[in-house]
Amino acid sequence: MTVSKMTWRPQYRSSKFRHVFGKAATKESCYDGVPITRSVQDNNFCAVNPRFLAVITECAGGGAFLVLSINHTGKVDPLHPRISGHRGNVLDVKWNPFNDFCIASCSEDTTVKVWEIPPHGVLKNLTSPWKELQGHSRRVGLIEWHPTANNILFSTAYDFQVMIWNLDCPEQVMKNPVRTISHHTDVVLSMSFNTDGSLLATTCKDRKVRLIESRSGNLLQEANCKKHKASKVLFLGNMKMLFTSGTSRWNDRQFALWDQDDLSVPLLEENLDGSSGVLFPFYDPDTHMLYLAGKGDGNMRYYEISSEKPYIHYLTEYRSNLPQKGMGVMPKRGLDVSSCEVFRFYKLVTIKSLIEPLSMIVPRRSESYQEDIYPMTAGNKPALTAEEWLSGIDKGPVLMSLKPGCQVAESYSEMSKGLGNSLDTRRSHSRPGALQLAYIQDQLGTKDGKEDSGNTEDDRSRTPVSNGEDLALCSPPRTENELRLKFHKQQEEIRRLRELLNQRDVRVKQLELEIKNIKNSQSHQSSP
């Protein structure tokens, strides 16, 4: 009798994000009465940063969009001041990733305009932009900021051109882009950068996915898959993969995964359903989670991405009876880490003139900061100036920690350089005590220097922000429930700050004791 050995495989792969759930905001925390645009463009129509929310609105004669303080929740005044400098409908808005008071907009009037928002919000109608970019011959449908270089903006229009603009130029009206990319034979539907911004991926109405060198505009690869008509494209962080969403040849909604180095055949194709709304993909490189939200759907699917087959792992689905027209996404530095929030959407619900915040939360019992779900993430400091990038330099993003009270920001190169210097210091064998003392004092001095330089920054950067809430721009609570919520949030903030203060006190005592021990050992060595 032969006994065959059976290999056992677990039914589920282990994942700390398996139980992520979506939590919609209460009615008091939504933005009500917003006249959301009725445009049929397949864009998000909404942009968010830790201070402001911008949404394209419906208006007669010209185009306009609304900029609200992120804490200005509840009923929005129908006469709230708008940014209304365009002569045609606004099609896309994007916040500058390195300046929370700078936003770009593009319109059917063939222009791109860049606006400076006052520190305390838009108090009167804005009609004069900081910069006006005139280069396209037809309506401009999409804009994207470069992810690591300051003041570099990409725009694409219905003239099939992608233009690169350097906003550091002194002219207020700019007519000559730095470079024009002319590889597309139809309208560009989406653009996405890799982590350091050296590569640009685009999808086009001609069904092709293109990989372009973003600075020179050289076409590196072109995918022409007849089975998959891509409408949106995303770089999946540093995983060297591209994700596209679109439709199959039978008009089923479909997504595909591509190897960045070989776009001849997709790694994976999967059909979802037969709905007609465009699928908006959103990727979080810190958690490797991918979110898929369909235009006109109320649900949202989310997946986890891995570098090995089968690459995409379905997690679960958030369901709602409110259909979304577009979605804004809060940058990671604006999330509430005390509630283990890993992603936050701002859902545009046209049928109710409502903007509903939707938080994606990892359920954890502990109330302390969860370092495993909040790695170092891209911050709000540019790694390069526009001139450095145009001269041929590429750099990864400057990273920051999301830990409350910790404002460490380092680029990849700075981290490796700092690590190398500290290792060199520790490897030295002559007078180790003195070197350790010098190292500790140098670290303390560096911290003091950082604090002194921080104090000399302008008023905008000194405005206190706590977990995405700008304390200077907080509107007073209007209801008893809102007052209670703000009270509990304040108590939580006080508790966290006390914990942080205790940790700092312990650290200071440890350093003082270490310095004392080193001095004592030096005195013993010097005495015969």
Side-chain angles (χ1 to χ4, degrees), residues 433-463:
L435 283 171
Q436 285 177 15
L437 176 62
Y439 176 76
I440 293 167
Q441 288 174 339
D442 181 54
Q443 291 295 309
L444 290 169
T446 307
K447 285 182 182 177
D448 293 341
K450 280 183 182 175
E451 287 171 8
D452 292 341
S453 63
N455 290 335
T456 59
E457 290 182 1
D458 61 346
D459 291 338
R460 285 184 180 179
S461 59
R462 278 188 294 178
T463 311

Side-chain angles (χ1 to χ4, degrees), residues 383-455:
L384 297 162
T385 63
E387 289 302 321
E388 286 173 338
W389 183 75
L390 290 169
S391 69
I393 304 171
D394 288 317
K395 267 189 186 178
V398 176
L399 302 180
M400 67 177 288
S401 170
L402 296 180
K403 192 170 185 178
C406 183
Q407 294 299 320
V408 178
E410 297 176 288
S411 66
Y412 293 122
S413 56
E414 286 170 354
M415 287 176 76
S416 57
K417 191 193 294 182
L419 186 64
N421 290 342
S422 62
L423 286 172
D424 289 342
T425 306
R426 290 175 183 180
R427 281 173 188 158
S428 301
H429 295 291
S430 60
R431 299 190 66 192
L435 283 171
Q436 285 177 15
L437 176 62
Y439 176 76
I440 293 167
Q441 288 174 339
D442 181 54
Q443 291 295 309
L444 290 169
T446 307
K447 285 182 182 177
D448 293 341
K450 280 183 182 175
E451 287 171 8
D452 292 341
S453 63
N455 290 335

Side-chain angles (χ1 to χ4, degrees), residues 16-17 286 337 340 364 368-376 401-404 406 503:
K16 64 184 78 168
F17 303 109
D286 300 335
V337 296
C340 297
R364 293 280 171 98
S368 59
Y369 177 72
Q370 306 291 308
E371 290 195 22
D372 62 321
I373 60 173
Y374 295 116
M376 296 286 280
S401 170
L402 296 180
K403 192 170 185 178
C406 183
Q503 290 172 8

Side-chain angles (χ1 to χ4, degrees), residues 94-96 99-104 114-117 130 145:
K94 294 276 166 60
W95 288 103
N96 186 335
N99 182 355
D100 288 345
F101 301 92
C102 177
I103 189 169
V114 186
W115 309 84
E116 282 189 328
I117 306 301
W130 171 55
W145 293 91

Side-chain angles (χ1 to χ4, degrees), residues 340-353:
C340 297
E341 183 184 34
V342 290
F343 218 74
R344 190 191 305 162
F345 295 98
Y346 285 77
K347 181 174 165 178
L348 305 188
V349 185
T350 315
I351 57 171
K352 289 197 170 186
S353 299

Side-chain angles (χ1 to χ4, degrees), residues 41 89 91 106-112 133-142 155-161 163 165 185-188 205:
Q41 191 88 0
N89 289 333
L91 299 179
C106 64
S107 165
E108 290 181 353
D109 63 9
T110 74
T111 66
V112 178
L133 317 179
Q134 300 175 355
H136 291 285
S137 57
R138 296 186 66 188
R139 58 180 173 173
V140 187
L142 273 176
S155 64
T156 181
Y158 280 62
D159 57 7
F160 315 154
Q161 310 292 320
M163 294 187 177
W165 304 89
T185 58
D186 211 324
V187 178
V188 177
K205 215 170 181 180

